[in-house]
Amino acid sequence: MAPISLTFPDGNARDYEAGVTPAKVAASISKSLSKKAISASVDGAHWDLQWPIEHDAQIAIHTMQDDAQALELIRHDFAHVMARAVQEIWPDTKVTIGPVTEKGWFYDFDRQEPFTPEDLGQIEAKMKQIIAARDPVRTEIWDRDRAIAHYQETGEPFKVELIDRIPEDAPIRMYWHGDWQDLCRGPHLQHTGQLPADAFKLMGVSGAYWFGDTSRPMLQRVQGVAFKNREDLKAHLNFLEEAAKRDHRRLGREMDLFHMQEEAPGQVFWHPNGWTIYTTLQDYMRRQQQAGGYVEVNTPQVVDRKLWEASGHWEKYQDNMFIVEVDEEHAREKAVNALKPMNCPCHVQIFNQGLKSYRDLPLRMAEFGSCNRYEPSGALHGIMRVRGFTQDDAHIFCEEDQIAEETEKFIGFLSSIYRDLGFPTFRIKFSDRPDVRAGSDEIWDKAEKALLDATRKITNDVEMNPGEGAFYGPKLEFVLTDAIGRDWQCGTLQVDFVLPERLDSTYIGRDGAKHRPVMLHRATLGSFERFIGILIEEHSGKLPFWIAPRQVVVASITSDADDYVHEVVSELRKAGIRAEADIRNEKINYKVREHSVGKVPVILAIGHREVEERTVTVRRLGEKQTQVAPLAEIVSTLAEEATPPDHL
RNA sequence: GCUGCUGUAGCUCAGAGGUAGAGCACUCCCUUGGUAAGGGAGAGGUCGAGAGUUCAAUUCUCUCCAGCAGCACCA
């Protein structure tokens, strides 16, 4: 066989016979590398140590030192080892797929009886046995028909389906460790003993559909996390514990912000503290929108189904709307209304009142629009995904050639607001036409191009999200993450050529003829509910001073100070600061602890000294050190800190 | 909506086929205390709802409701 030349990362090249495997290459370098090797990169592709190399190439041998490859392999091999463990314990279990996830892996199984939480321990124990056995991993490329026949024989229908999904020109790779076999694209470790037996944990069982197909029976998903070593695993479990403390549902209770109850699932009972956050944000948004050239409107909650039929929402979203039926004694038929699930059709009604001229465009119509959607029960999540919510919604009616400018303007508008609220960076996703949609392909071509081009003028950092657009148009999503890293769409911008058509909106153009406006649907925060949830988690409840519901608690150390405490509170309130007195018969330690847990940013303690000197002792949240300040000084300092960012 | 798990005092949780317990919170009393829980006493529960099995159900079974995790959905 002709020799091939392999070039190493240090630039040196060596000749090998064609068909040499990275395992042999590693062995030719040193015995220890041969043992430590986990995989290779061949011309940039992640390569199994057993796969032959047929051409000249750049090669790198990976060990556990290479984080990216090591974690990928560890997690992938854990998926296989777990599947084997499950099939060894319950041989009637069918295997499906088991991919790597961000911190670990999952494997979906088909089995009659459900896995119980207790089963997880049994599976973990079996996995440790498999690792201890150090079974060598072996791989072969099989002929497609042989693989299908094999899986039909062994009774693994999902694997047969999987093979059908593999492209014609791709190899069908089979992998083994011990007697256990799986179809897999690889690469894998040398042997199961390379897995860190003390650095993984099974995290739970849940349901999952085969390739997301709800028409098929649900599979059982077992998920795990895995790392290179025990310390990393412990660090991750610790992170999860810390994240749980930042959960907005927990902080909402601890900070007395809101509650939810059975009688109104998915709806928020805002307590005084939470409502203060809400109105503070709303006031801020109102100022921003006025400055940004928006007009504010308000529209009805209960609207006849005729309007929803006209807009197209009835057909598509009827099942997700709260329907309100009213029996009118003398009416021919029952009036059927729906609580508005969004504001756009109502805004169009305002636009449609009176003739509009091109001079009125762009018309930016904003509403703090309260909407109700009958979200599926499984979708509800604290105040992040609810059935009753208020959007900072607006619709920009404009001409086609204004789309780009309005898009740029909005992204700038949103960026500045996110910065003010403590989110200097965020992700942008672009979603294009879904399978089920309104409007012609030509219109979609136009809308997608206009939106994407305008966005790209501002940033190239746009993730593509194919097929995920709204039914009437493409959309941008502005995404923030919660405490444990789950993504939430907050802001959005959607181009819509369809609704103005359906609801017959027109304006008189320069040419004196009627034209269709384009509608841009946009929300900055998204919904107040979701945004506040994210805000709480992002700050672990320690909200920026201007948003904090209780900014200052003035706490007495002795009851002799009560009068002065009230005076201090009153001075602070005059300066526009949200201050409360705490003159309860409790020790200062007790008060400090309670208000610290309640995330009050500033505690002013007052005892005999302060009364005599007309000072206060300032204790800021998270700081052990206190400082003494004259009353007048602290009032002006705090008043300045309480100023919203747009008033600076 | 689907799969699994959970539902006991305001909160966090323990408990058992014979109608319930702890800590914190709450109320009152003592204490006036200098920066993350001072001491004592008291009050507080149709054990998520309904049905069934049983002499007896909060405990076992079923149905429903709600919550949690994931999947699906997200105008």
Side-chain angles (χ1 to χ4, degrees), chain A residues 433-445:
Chain A
R433 66 192 76 187
D435 292 337
V436 184
R437 58 178 181 264
S440 70
D441 285 352
E442 292 74 47
I443 283 179
W444 276 89
D445 288 342

Side-chain angles (χ1 to χ4, degrees), chain A residues 21-24 26 37-40 47-51 61 187-188 190:
Chain A
T21 63
K24 284 180 191 150
I38 54 172
S39 66
W47 206 267
D48 195 291
L49 292 172
Q50 298 180 49
W51 295 348
I61 306 290
H188 278 286
Q190 293 194 44

Side-chain angles (χ1 to χ4, degrees), chain A residues 188-341:
Chain A
H188 278 286
L189 296 167
Q190 293 194 44
H191 58 85
T192 58
Q194 283 184 316
L195 283 172
D198 59 353
F200 80 99
K201 184 170 164 56
L202 301 188
M203 300 300 282
V205 191
S206 61
Y209 296 107
W210 172 250
F211 283 92
D213 184 349
T214 51
S215 70
R216 311 220 355 194
M218 197 157 237
L219 306 169
Q220 296 187 64
R221 172 168 298 180
V222 183
Q223 351 183 14
V225 292
F227 298 86
K228 278 166 62 175
N229 52 54
R230 197 175 138 80
E231 289 68 44
D232 288 356
L233 172 67
K234 279 170 88 175
H236 181 251
L237 297 178
N238 191 45
F239 164 81
L240 290 181
E241 256 178 56
E242 290 304 311
K245 293 181 190 159
R246 291 164 55 195
D247 191 308
H248 75 281
R249 293 166 296 190
R250 173 171 172 164
L251 286 169
R253 188 171 55 241
E254 289 176 358
M255 296 170 69
D256 194 15
L257 302 178
F258 57 82
H259 84 273
M260 305 178 86
Q261 64 185 50
E262 233 180 272
E263 290 78 2
Q267 302 188 81
V268 186
F269 292 77
W270 287 104
H271 296 13
N273 286 340
W275 192 244
T276 299
I277 299 175
Y278 187 111
T279 52
T280 301
L281 266 183
Q282 191 179 46
D283 292 346
Y284 165 82
M285 284 309 299
R286 182 168 277 136
R287 293 194 299 272
Q288 292 291 318
Q289 286 177 351
Q290 274 164 0
Y294 290 83
V295 291
E296 188 177 323
V297 300
N298 196 264
T299 59
Q301 291 298 319
V302 181
V303 178
D304 195 287
R305 71 183 264 183
K306 287 201 269 299
L307 183 61
W308 307 113
E309 281 168 352
S311 70
H313 291 97
W314 188 264
E315 188 190 0
K316 194 161 183 338
Y317 290 107
Q318 192 188 148
D319 289 345
N320 298 307
M321 287 158 79
F322 282 97
I323 309 295
V324 182
E325 294 193 6
V326 183
D327 271 315
E328 293 257 20
E329 221 177 308
H330 303 291
R332 249 181 243 144
E333 53 187 292
K334 224 183 245 185
V336 178
N337 301 280
L339 296 187
K340 73 172 167 182

Side-chain angles (χ1 to χ4, degrees), chain A residues 555-566:
Chain A
S556 58
I557 293 169
T558 154
S559 52
D560 294 338
D562 289 358
D563 289 346
Y564 183 53
V565 165
H566 285 123

Side-chain angles (χ1 to χ4, degrees), chain A residues 446-492:
Chain A
K446 213 158 59 173
E448 285 169 1
K449 187 170 185 315
L451 187 57
L452 191 55
D453 287 355
T455 309
R456 287 238 161 99
K457 277 176 80 172
I458 295 181
T459 172
N460 271 318
D461 206 2
V462 181
E463 296 167 39
M464 301 309 270
N465 202 13
E468 297 294 318
F471 77 92
Y472 50 69
K475 70 175 178 183
L476 290 179
E477 289 178 39
F478 301 88
V479 177
L480 297 174
T481 42
D482 71 10
I484 62 167
R486 283 178 291 213
D487 281 352
W488 295 92
Q489 174 193 309
C490 290
T492 182

Side-chain angles (χ1 to χ4, degrees), chain A residues 472-524:
Chain A
Y472 50 69
K475 70 175 178 183
L476 290 179
E477 289 178 39
F478 301 88
V479 177
L480 297 174
T481 42
D482 71 10
I484 62 167
R486 283 178 291 213
D487 281 352
W488 295 92
Q489 174 193 309
C490 290
T492 182
L493 173 63
Q494 302 164 14
V495 180
D496 183 2
F497 287 89
V498 175
L499 204 58
E501 177 87 37
R502 296 189 73 125
L503 298 179
D504 196 23
S505 295
T506 57
Y507 67 93
I508 310 298
R510 267 156 269 250
D511 55 3
K514 280 189 176 178
H515 297 274
R516 288 266 178 243
V518 180
M519 260 176 105
L520 304 180
H521 306 240
R522 45 110 291 177
T524 311

